[in-house]
Short mmCIF file of all heavy atoms in Angstrom, two decimals:
data_model
loop_
_atom_site.label_atom_id
_atom_site.label_comp_id
_atom_site.label_asym_id
_atom_site.label_seq_id
_atom_site.Cartn_x
_atom_site.Cartn_y
_atom_site.Cartn_z
N GLN A 263 -83.10 124.68 -96.85
CA GLN A 263 -82.07 123.68 -96.75
C GLN A 263 -82.65 122.40 -96.16
O GLN A 263 -82.29 121.29 -96.55
CB GLN A 263 -80.95 124.17 -95.84
CG GLN A 263 -80.18 125.29 -96.43
CD GLN A 263 -80.17 126.55 -95.60
OE1 GLN A 263 -80.79 126.55 -94.52
NE2 GLN A 263 -79.58 127.61 -96.08
N GLY A 264 -83.59 122.56 -95.22
CA GLY A 264 -84.18 121.28 -94.63
C GLY A 264 -85.08 120.55 -95.56
O GLY A 264 -85.35 119.37 -95.40
N THR A 265 -85.67 121.29 -96.55
CA THR A 265 -86.52 120.66 -97.49
C THR A 265 -85.95 119.48 -98.22
O THR A 265 -86.54 118.44 -98.39
CB THR A 265 -87.04 121.68 -98.53
OG1 THR A 265 -87.67 122.81 -97.78
CG2 THR A 265 -88.12 121.07 -99.39
N GLN A 266 -84.76 119.67 -98.65
CA GLN A 266 -84.09 118.61 -99.47
C GLN A 266 -83.84 117.32 -98.56
O GLN A 266 -83.88 116.27 -99.13
CB GLN A 266 -82.70 119.15 -99.95
CG GLN A 266 -82.81 120.31 -100.88
CD GLN A 266 -83.65 120.06 -102.13
OE1 GLN A 266 -83.66 118.96 -102.64
NE2 GLN A 266 -84.37 121.12 -102.59
N ARG A 267 -83.59 117.55 -97.34
CA ARG A 267 -83.23 116.37 -96.50
C ARG A 267 -84.51 115.71 -95.91
O ARG A 267 -84.68 114.54 -95.75
CB ARG A 267 -82.36 116.75 -95.31
CG ARG A 267 -80.93 117.10 -95.75
CD ARG A 267 -80.13 117.52 -94.63
NE ARG A 267 -80.56 118.88 -94.27
CZ ARG A 267 -80.28 119.45 -93.14
NH1 ARG A 267 -79.58 118.85 -92.25
NH2 ARG A 267 -80.62 120.70 -92.95
N VAL A 268 -85.54 116.54 -95.56
CA VAL A 268 -86.72 116.05 -94.86
C VAL A 268 -87.85 115.62 -95.77
O VAL A 268 -88.76 114.84 -95.38
CB VAL A 268 -87.16 117.14 -93.81
CG1 VAL A 268 -88.40 116.73 -93.04
CG2 VAL A 268 -86.04 117.43 -92.88
N ARG A 269 -87.94 116.23 -96.93
CA ARG A 269 -89.02 115.89 -97.81
C ARG A 269 -89.30 114.45 -98.01
O ARG A 269 -90.48 114.01 -97.94
CB ARG A 269 -88.83 116.64 -99.14
CG ARG A 269 -89.97 116.42 -100.04
CD ARG A 269 -89.79 117.17 -101.39
NE ARG A 269 -90.73 116.78 -102.39
CZ ARG A 269 -91.75 117.49 -102.79
NH1 ARG A 269 -91.85 118.77 -102.35
NH2 ARG A 269 -92.60 117.09 -103.64
N PRO A 270 -88.30 113.60 -98.38
CA PRO A 270 -88.64 112.16 -98.54
C PRO A 270 -89.13 111.48 -97.36
O PRO A 270 -90.02 110.64 -97.30
CB PRO A 270 -87.29 111.59 -99.00
CG PRO A 270 -86.41 112.67 -99.44
CD PRO A 270 -86.94 113.94 -98.64
N VAL A 271 -88.62 111.94 -96.12
CA VAL A 271 -89.09 111.37 -94.80
C VAL A 271 -90.55 111.78 -94.56
O VAL A 271 -91.41 110.96 -94.20
CB VAL A 271 -88.16 111.75 -93.70
CG1 VAL A 271 -88.75 111.29 -92.39
CG2 VAL A 271 -86.77 111.22 -93.91
N ALA A 272 -90.85 113.03 -94.85
CA ALA A 272 -92.19 113.54 -94.60
C ALA A 272 -93.23 112.86 -95.53
O ALA A 272 -94.32 112.49 -95.20
CB ALA A 272 -92.27 115.01 -94.72
N LYS A 273 -92.78 112.73 -96.78
CA LYS A 273 -93.63 112.02 -97.84
C LYS A 273 -93.89 110.61 -97.43
O LYS A 273 -95.01 110.15 -97.43
CB LYS A 273 -92.95 112.12 -99.19
CG LYS A 273 -93.78 111.54 -100.29
CD LYS A 273 -93.01 111.73 -101.62
CE LYS A 273 -93.77 111.01 -102.72
NZ LYS A 273 -93.01 111.11 -103.98
N ALA A 274 -92.87 109.90 -96.87
CA ALA A 274 -93.04 108.51 -96.46
C ALA A 274 -93.95 108.40 -95.32
O ALA A 274 -94.81 107.56 -95.17
CB ALA A 274 -91.69 107.90 -96.17
N ALA A 275 -93.81 109.34 -94.34
CA ALA A 275 -94.74 109.45 -93.13
C ALA A 275 -96.17 109.69 -93.56
O ALA A 275 -97.10 109.09 -92.98
CB ALA A 275 -94.22 110.51 -92.17
N MET A 276 -96.35 110.70 -94.51
CA MET A 276 -97.70 110.92 -94.94
C MET A 276 -98.36 109.70 -95.68
O MET A 276 -99.47 109.41 -95.51
CB MET A 276 -97.73 112.15 -95.83
CG MET A 276 -97.53 113.42 -95.04
SD MET A 276 -97.64 114.75 -96.28
CE MET A 276 -97.51 116.17 -95.15
N LYS A 277 -97.51 109.06 -96.47
CA LYS A 277 -97.99 107.88 -97.21
C LYS A 277 -98.37 106.73 -96.16
O LYS A 277 -99.45 106.15 -96.33
CB LYS A 277 -96.87 107.40 -98.12
CG LYS A 277 -97.33 106.25 -98.93
CD LYS A 277 -96.26 105.80 -99.92
CE LYS A 277 -96.66 104.50 -100.69
NZ LYS A 277 -95.59 104.09 -101.60
N ALA A 278 -97.53 106.61 -95.15
CA ALA A 278 -97.88 105.58 -94.12
C ALA A 278 -99.17 105.96 -93.37
O ALA A 278 -99.99 105.11 -93.07
CB ALA A 278 -96.75 105.48 -93.17
N ALA A 279 -99.35 107.30 -93.14
CA ALA A 279 -100.57 107.72 -92.47
C ALA A 279 -101.80 107.44 -93.25
O ALA A 279 -102.83 107.00 -92.82
CB ALA A 279 -100.44 109.20 -92.09
N VAL A 280 -101.68 107.73 -94.60
CA VAL A 280 -102.81 107.53 -95.53
C VAL A 280 -103.10 106.03 -95.64
O VAL A 280 -104.30 105.63 -95.57
CB VAL A 280 -102.53 108.12 -96.89
CG1 VAL A 280 -103.51 107.66 -97.95
CG2 VAL A 280 -102.48 109.66 -96.81
N MET A 281 -102.07 105.22 -95.70
CA MET A 281 -102.29 103.73 -95.73
C MET A 281 -102.95 103.21 -94.45
O MET A 281 -103.84 102.40 -94.48
CB MET A 281 -100.97 103.06 -96.02
CG MET A 281 -100.35 103.34 -97.39
SD MET A 281 -101.45 102.73 -98.71
CE MET A 281 -101.31 100.97 -98.61
N ALA A 282 -102.43 103.68 -93.32
CA ALA A 282 -103.05 103.35 -92.07
C ALA A 282 -104.49 103.77 -91.91
O ALA A 282 -105.33 102.95 -91.51
CB ALA A 282 -102.24 103.90 -90.92
N TYR A 283 -104.81 104.98 -92.44
CA TYR A 283 -106.18 105.40 -92.37
C TYR A 283 -107.09 104.55 -93.29
O TYR A 283 -108.15 104.18 -92.91
CB TYR A 283 -106.22 106.91 -92.84
CG TYR A 283 -107.60 107.44 -92.99
CD1 TYR A 283 -108.35 107.81 -91.87
CD2 TYR A 283 -108.13 107.72 -94.24
CE1 TYR A 283 -109.62 108.30 -91.93
CE2 TYR A 283 -109.41 108.22 -94.32
CZ TYR A 283 -110.15 108.50 -93.16
OH TYR A 283 -111.41 109.03 -93.34
N HIS A 284 -106.49 104.21 -94.49
CA HIS A 284 -107.34 103.34 -95.40
C HIS A 284 -107.52 101.97 -94.70
O HIS A 284 -108.69 101.43 -94.80
CB HIS A 284 -106.53 103.17 -96.77
CG HIS A 284 -107.13 102.21 -97.63
ND1 HIS A 284 -108.35 102.51 -98.28
CD2 HIS A 284 -106.78 100.96 -98.02
CE1 HIS A 284 -108.67 101.45 -98.99
NE2 HIS A 284 -107.81 100.50 -98.87
N GLU A 285 -106.48 101.39 -94.20
CA GLU A 285 -106.66 100.10 -93.48
C GLU A 285 -107.71 100.18 -92.31
O GLU A 285 -108.52 99.22 -92.08
CB GLU A 285 -105.33 99.55 -92.99
CG GLU A 285 -104.49 98.89 -94.04
CD GLU A 285 -105.17 97.64 -94.66
OE1 GLU A 285 -105.71 96.80 -93.96
OE2 GLU A 285 -105.14 97.59 -95.93
N ALA A 286 -107.60 101.29 -91.56
CA ALA A 286 -108.58 101.39 -90.45
C ALA A 286 -110.03 101.50 -90.94
O ALA A 286 -110.91 100.92 -90.45
CB ALA A 286 -108.25 102.64 -89.69
#
Side-chain angles (χ1 to χ4, degrees):
Q263 291 120 2
T265 304
Q266 299 300 329
R267 289 178 286 165
V268 179
R269 183 179 166 109
V271 174
K273 184 178 174 183
M276 286 183 175
K277 183 178 177 182
V280 168
M281 293 298 289
Y283 176 72
H284 175 70
E285 279 299 315

